[in-house]
Amino acid sequence: MTPERLMEAYGRLFPSRLRKAHLALVAYAEEASPDGWPTPEMVAHFARLYKVPRARLGDLVGLLCRRHPGTRRDVWVDAIRDPGKATPHLIRRHDRAVQVALGWCLFSRDLWMPRPVLH
């Protein structure tokens, strides 16, 4: 997979409003966050601003979101900085659209930030 094909897939997989929210979120986080990565609060804010699903926008930046049943409390897991907590069991609890967004995020991360190979 090339970066060009990844960007082509980005345009086909995600609606325009979600892509705009994602790009705005990433640009904002670059300047506003100490480490340059979006925070859960930023994801929630941009999801409201662009009227896109919070979970799908979060997954585009590696942040899994689940709402505790019967509450308004969200739990966030950072699949980029703490991948051990983003277990397959947790990922499977999300719908297909959210899983696709996380997959796109993780695949694109591997293109520009490859993991070390252990021999």
Side-chain angles (χ1 to χ4, degrees):
M1 174 77 70
T2 65
E4 293 78 22
R5 289 205 49 199
L6 184 69
M7 286 309 298
E8 178 188 320
Y10 182 70
R12 279 187 286 119
L13 291 171
F14 308 110
S16 176
R17 185 183 298 267
L18 183 62
R19 292 192 316 265
K20 289 174 184 174
H22 176 229
L23 295 174
L25 170 63
V26 170
Y28 177 77
E30 238 177 58
E31 299 298 324
S33 180
D35 64 0
W37 284 92
T39 63
E41 294 79 17
M42 290 176 192
V43 171
H45 174 75
F46 278 84
R48 276 191 309 274
L49 185 65
Y50 282 85
K51 295 179 176 67
V52 296
R54 183 182 66 248
R56 199 164 181 203
L57 179 59
D59 277 4
L60 279 173
V61 294
L63 292 170
L64 287 160
C65 178
R66 290 292 294 175
R67 179 147 296 170
H68 273 287
T71 71
R72 294 185 55 85
R73 191 171 143 242
D74 294 330
V75 175
W76 294 84
V77 173
D78 192 330
I80 300 289
R81 290 173 281 191
D82 196 0
K85 289 188 177 177
T87 62
H89 171 71
L90 175 64
I91 294 167
R92 279 193 301 269
R93 296 174 82 193
H94 288 82
D95 67 26
R96 180 83 174 130
V98 172
Q99 292 175 12
V100 167
L102 179 63
W104 186 91
C105 172
L106 296 177
F107 190 80
S108 65
R109 182 236 15 223
D110 287 347
L111 276 179
W112 61 266
M113 193 172 90
R115 296 180 207 171
V117 176
L118 300 176
H119 296 279

